[in-house]
């Protein structure tokens, strides 16, 4: 429930009368790590970072001393593996990937040591499964192919997911964390959008003060809404997206940020460096605007995008991107006022920004809207009306499969994988979903 100081005080009280300090050390590491995730201000970040670093060092020294005397002490092995896994995530968030890799491998090896002694400890299986699953879903594909030569990398998506699923049923300490991981996996990687939404909704309902659970529920709603539109149910998609908008919070409430490029058109893209919550808000507003656009509700599309662009608490880059989206849509429709919104985007982002430079290109006398833009819009209109077949998509993709339009392959892959999934062709759905994820990894 994000009441960290109360939790730490309770642990301190228990420590004064408890004999099993290993379990209390485990609770301390978990609490300090979540406190670090929840830090927002510079002062909170620094304090949480220092507290985590200091205490985890002391705890590891004590635990390693215990293991020197008792090499098969399962609680101590688990504490050490958990602590090093937390350090791995800590350094990944800090951007120190060599340390994240080093501690991740060490933590994984300690958990594997437990598995050799007791293969039915499902808290341990969760840690092992999460490591295997993240190796298979987060690491770039080129690195996965070389993983055989890299010590400690274990790419096993199916096996990792199976362990996570078992942990949601049978783990003792990590049940909530395993449910969170499963919800994320279903929504972001497995294309099981309804299951992802159901699990994330349950977590948020149980722990409404946990901002990470709220964020993940909104992510799940976003993906579910997109899928509903591909099923030819745009009205359902809009209802789901509106539900997400009611819950999202544009006030930064935890430290996770996204530093990536967001596609607005294939040739017009820029880097957004925004808090995670605001990234979801942007995605929901943009998808709602496009859904209205695809069902020819153009005034509604303008209205929802303007609502987001005028939302005071949002980053100026996000508001500029939403103004740009209105201008792009008006340009596709050959409306003469498109430049009004592009100029507004440029002004909102600020002179000299990457966005402003793109806007100037868009307004340049030599700029011509690439041919695929209008055709993809027409295709999306047919998809939203449930009147498009995969053949329509493939025919258009093959028509534009030329070097000058190579950036648009990503747009076609985004369309192809949900349609293949709906037809039950899971292998092809996975192939093109992987292409989309690979493209996103390149951008990061």
């Amino acid at each position: 429930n994000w009441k960290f100081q109360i939790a730490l005080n309770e642990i301190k009280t228990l420590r004064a009368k408890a004999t099993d300090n290993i379990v209390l050390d485990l609770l301390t590491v978990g609490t300090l790590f979540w406190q670090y995730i929840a830090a927002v201000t510079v002062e909170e970040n620094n304090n949480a970072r220092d507290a985590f670093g200091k205490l985890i060092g002391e705890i590891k020294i004590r635990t390693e001393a215990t293991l020197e005397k008792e090499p098969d002490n399962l609680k101590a092995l688990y504490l050490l593996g958990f602590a090093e896994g937390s350090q791995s995530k800590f350094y990944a968030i800090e951007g120190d990937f060599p340390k994240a890799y080093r501690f991740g491998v060490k933590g994984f090896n300690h958990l594997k040591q437990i598995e050799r002694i007791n293969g039915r400890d499902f808290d341990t299986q969760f840690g092992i499964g999460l490591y295997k699953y993240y190796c298979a879903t987060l690491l770039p594909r080129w690195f996965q192919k070389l993983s055989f030569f890299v010590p400690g990398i274990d790419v096993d998506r199916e096996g990792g997911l199976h362990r996570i699923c078992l942990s949601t049923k049978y783990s003792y300490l990590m049940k909530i964390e395993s449910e969170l991981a499963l919800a994320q996996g279903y929504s972001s990687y497995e294309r099981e959008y309804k299951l992802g939404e159901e699990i994330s909704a349950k977590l948020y309902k149980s722990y409404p003060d946990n901002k990470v659970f709220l964020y993940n529920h909104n992510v799940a709603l976003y993906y579910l809404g997109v899928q509903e539109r591909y099923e030819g149910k745009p009205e359902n998609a809009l209802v789901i997206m509106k539900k997400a908008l009611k819950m999202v919070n544009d006030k930064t409430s935890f430290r996770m940020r996204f530093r990536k490029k967001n596609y607005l058109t294939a040739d017009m893209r820029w880097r957004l460096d925004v808090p995670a919550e605001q990234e979801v808000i942007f995605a929901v507003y943009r998808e709602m605007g496009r859904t209205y656009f695809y069902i020819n509700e153009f005034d509604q599309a303008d209205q929802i995008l303007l609502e987001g662009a005028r939302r005071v608490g949002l980053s100026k880059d996000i508001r500029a991107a939403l103004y740009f989206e209105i201008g792009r849509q008006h340009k596709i429709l050959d409306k003469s006022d498109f430049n009004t919104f592009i100029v507004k985007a440029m002004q909102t982002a600020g002179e000299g920004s990457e966005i402003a430079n793109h806007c100037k290109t868009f307004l340049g006398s030599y700029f011509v809207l690439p041919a695929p833009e209008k055709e993809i819009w027409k295709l999306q209109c047919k998809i939203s009306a449930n009147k498009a077949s995969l053949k329509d998509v493939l025919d258009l993709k093959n028509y534009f499969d030329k070097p000058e339009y190579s950036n648009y392959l990503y747009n076609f892959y985004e369309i192809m994988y949900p349609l293949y999934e709906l037809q039950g062709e899971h292998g092809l759905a996975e192939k093109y979903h992987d292409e989309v994820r690979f493209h996103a990894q390149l951008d990061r």
Side-chain angles (χ1 to χ4, degrees), residues 86 98 104 137 141 150 178 217 224 226 233 270 320 389:
S86 298
T137 55
R141 288 192 310 175
V150 182
S178 60
H217 184 43
L224 180 61
V226 172
K233 305 171 187 173
W270 50 72
S389 66

Side-chain angles (χ1 to χ4, degrees), residues 400-407:
F400 286 117
D401 194 1
K402 302 170 185 176
E404 61 267 35
Y405 298 131
S406 58
N407 284 341

Side-chain angles (χ1 to χ4, degrees), residues 145-178:
K145 291 176 181 177
L146 298 174
S147 64
F148 181 78
F149 303 101
V150 182
I153 300 299
D154 191 337
V155 178
D156 182 5
R157 181 167 166 177
E158 185 177 347
L161 185 64
H162 178 66
R163 285 171 168 83
I164 294 170
C165 287
L166 288 175
S167 300
T168 63
K169 298 178 181 178
Y170 304 117
S171 64
Y172 174 64
L173 296 167
M174 293 289 132
K175 181 173 176 58
I176 301 301
E177 281 83 350
S178 60

Side-chain angles (χ1 to χ4, degrees), residues 2 36-37 39 48 87 90 97 102 131 133 162 175 181 214 281 317 341 399 411 427:
W2 281 31
Y36 167 71
I37 291 291
Q87 281 183 295
F90 170 85
F97 297 108
R102 188 168 81 245
Y131 187 87
Y133 189 70
H162 178 66
K175 181 173 176 58
L214 171 60
I281 295 171
D317 285 358
F341 298 101
Y399 180 78
N411 299 77

Side-chain angles (χ1 to χ4, degrees), residues 337-355:
D337 67 345
F338 79 92
N339 56 351
T340 304
F341 298 101
I342 303 298
V343 170
K344 185 67 176 175
M346 188 164 49
Q347 292 171 343
T348 302
E351 186 64 32
S353 66
E354 191 180 1
I355 295 177

